[in-house]
Amino acid sequence: MTRPPTLVTILRQHATTHADHPALIDHPVSIDAPTTTTYAALADHAAALAAALRDTGVGEGDRVVHVAKDTPAVFELLYACATLGAVLVPISWRLAADEIAAILDHSHPRIVITDDPTRTTTATCPVLTLTQLQSWRTRTHHSDDTVFAATPDTPVVQMYTSGTTGRPKGVVLAHRSFFAVRALLESAGLDWIDWRETDINLIALPAFHIGGLWWATQGLNAGVTNVVIPAFTPATAIATIQRNAVTTTCLVPAMLSMMLSEPDVGATRFTSLRKIVYGGAPIGPHLLAHALDTFGCEFAQIYGLTETGNTALCLPPAEHIGEAPRLHAAGKPYPGVDIQIRTTDGTPTEIGESGEVFVRSPARMVEYFADPEATAATLSDGWIRTGDAGYLDADGYLVIRDRIKDLIIVGGENVYPAEVEKTLTEHPAVYDAAVVGAPDDTWGERVQAFVVAHPDMDLRTSDLARFLHGRLATFKTPTQYEFVDAIPRNPSGKILRRELREPYWADRYRRVN
């Protein structure tokens, strides 16, 4: 193509060049009852939806909310919005009613589409069910006069951040956010994340999460077959991979862990898989080793934020194998993506020196919707302030230590929870772990650990204390442990530290000590 692509132009290209190739395979109820949508049908459905949305008053810049489990409808709706110059706002159906109400109030949608109208009772605009939406896409009379002349910088999606530390913000992403990384890799001849004509891609992450929507668009932009499941369960994912001969997928570590915990998964043969992309949260060495051995395919780790348009760095498959894999690193920037580590006063650090991570990427967000102050605090001169703490090694790989705001200060010494958690999970009896700061009258804060033990292994506090001795500095070592059944995480796998910290700080005016 002679001009930079947009979601609309790339779909039309696929609908012309390989019209009958399956674009989406849907498993709506049973894994035995899939339905298939070709690229020609996907383009036709999107055009019909665009015409119907236009008839209801949806136009350029209008927000269209989707609150439902994943089906092909969410992707048809994405392309329909892109056709009109409207902006799709996918909202997690897992949120509480008050949380959904707050996002509806903030985004001011023109129309809401949902599979359960009881979730959106506060909406002040028309609410459409998925069944009604599906009837719209069967319209046969629609024309190209609905097509908006989008550019790569035209907003097309508004993703709400997970809100683990406060009110979710609406991250506005343009068409370029869904093309930039692939273009950078192709221009450099790198196959870190690559696509083949015969690929069958599993969309396991939800479309309301940037990882899920970005991954789905990568498969659709590449013109491969994409398999949609309404919601992830480990059994469904495993069965889908086997029955559809899935070759590629993107998961968070928690998903890998759940799949590997399924009965008899060690005897399951994933012969079709050639690559798993993972990210969203740190991964323990035992979990990764188990995954590499069980799935028997290439693994690539990605790092990024909703604000960076998803992935900004990659730890390629080659760094997962060999005598000295670089598994401590989050990855290396894609060509055309810049990383800086800065001190609290904004000065760039030296190699190996920790500070806050800043990213400059062509896939970065446009803004936070209706929030110029927050936008200015995060986006400046093309740089995204990530809120993550880390350092660059001598080879240019980024090592993430933790979130800046999750920092624990023990007697003036900085403790990064992720470092302690990684070390804890190296114990063979530790299945999962989380660390937070708790108040301490002597040291200001102390390290409080939450540990999930393997169900078939005995584990005591004294075992962990002995294991960490010599592996962590004394001030980094947890002073108290709580054994729990599970670590609370959000849908993208991130630890809900605020939930773990709350009981220790609830009676204090300040949440630092």
Side-chain angles (χ1 to χ4, degrees), residues 61-395:
D62 287 331
R63 268 52 184 174
V64 176
V65 162
H66 175 274
V67 192
K69 292 183 179 180
D70 285 358
T71 67
V74 68
F75 306 111
E76 295 170 351
L77 198 59
L78 170 65
Y79 290 110
C81 288
T83 300
L84 295 171
V87 177
L88 177 67
V89 183
I91 299 178
S92 171
W93 52 270
R94 297 189 179 108
L95 293 179
D98 288 348
E99 294 173 306
I100 292 175
I103 294 176
L104 291 174
D105 180 64
H106 181 261
S107 59
H108 301 295
R110 175 73 67 172
I111 194 169
V112 172
I113 291 93
T114 181
D115 57 359
D116 183 359
T118 63
R119 295 192 181 110
T120 57
T121 54
T122 63
T124 57
C125 62
V127 176
L128 200 71
T129 66
L130 279 183
T131 301
Q132 292 170 302
L133 187 74
Q134 289 167 351
S135 69
W136 277 6
R137 74 180 188 183
T138 60
R139 290 187 178 187
T140 56
H141 300 291
H142 52 271
S143 64
D144 288 347
D145 61 1
T146 58
V147 178
F148 170 82
T151 72
D153 290 318
T154 300
V156 68
V157 170
Q158 187 165 308
M159 311 287 295
Y160 277 82
T161 55
S162 57
T164 57
T165 57
R167 177 180 59 82
K169 296 183 286 291
V171 180
V172 179
L173 299 175
H175 288 260
R176 57 178 162 76
S177 293
F178 302 98
F179 290 94
V181 168
R182 185 181 177 201
L184 294 171
L185 288 172
E186 289 182 346
S187 65
L190 297 174
D191 62 354
W192 296 353
I193 302 175
D194 62 329
W195 298 95
R196 302 174 185 175
E197 291 182 3
T198 56
D199 273 335
I200 298 175
N201 179 44
L202 172 62
I203 304 171
L205 288 166
F208 61 72
H209 183 271
I210 182 58
L213 190 62
W214 179 84
W215 183 252
T217 60
Q218 299 314 288
L220 289 164
N221 289 346
V224 305
T225 299
N226 302 272
V227 185
V228 184
I229 53 178
F232 173 87
T233 68
T236 298
I238 291 170
T240 302
I241 290 170
Q242 292 178 308
R243 298 191 185 191
N244 292 273
V246 166
T247 61
T248 56
T249 190
C250 184
L251 305 165
V252 299
M255 289 175 166
L256 288 169
S257 178
M258 287 187 283
M259 291 171 69
L260 292 171
S261 297
E262 283 291 288
D264 301 323
V265 73
T268 305
R269 301 182 64 189
F270 297 95
T271 55
S272 65
L273 277 174
R274 69 174 188 85
K275 182 170 290 184
I276 292 177
V277 176
Y278 69 96
I283 190 168
H286 295 298
L287 173 57
L288 183 55
H290 191 186
L292 286 165
D293 181 63
T294 301
F295 294 107
C297 64
E298 289 187 338
F299 275 67
Q301 180 183 188
I302 58 174
Y303 164 84
L305 291 75
T306 307
E307 289 85 343
T308 61
N310 197 38
T311 178
L313 300 91
C314 182
L315 189 68
E319 296 291 355
H320 288 73
I321 58 177
E323 295 182 1
R326 202 188 299 260
L327 300 181
H328 66 284
K332 193 170 188 176
Y334 299 105
V337 174
D338 298 315
I339 303 293
Q340 274 190 2
I341 310 299
R342 302 181 188 178
T343 62
T344 53
D345 64 3
T347 305
T349 63
E350 301 293 332
I351 295 298
E353 182 183 354
S354 291
E356 185 171 1
V357 180
F358 284 71
V359 175
R360 183 167 59 188
S361 167
R364 66 184 176 273
M365 73 176 186
V366 176
E367 63 178 350
Y368 288 124
F369 180 66
D371 200 338
E373 290 185 5
T375 301
T378 297
L379 176 60
S380 178
D381 295 327
W383 289 92
I384 295 289
R385 182 177 188 174
T386 69
D388 283 339
Y391 65 89
L392 289 171
D393 68 16
D395 296 319

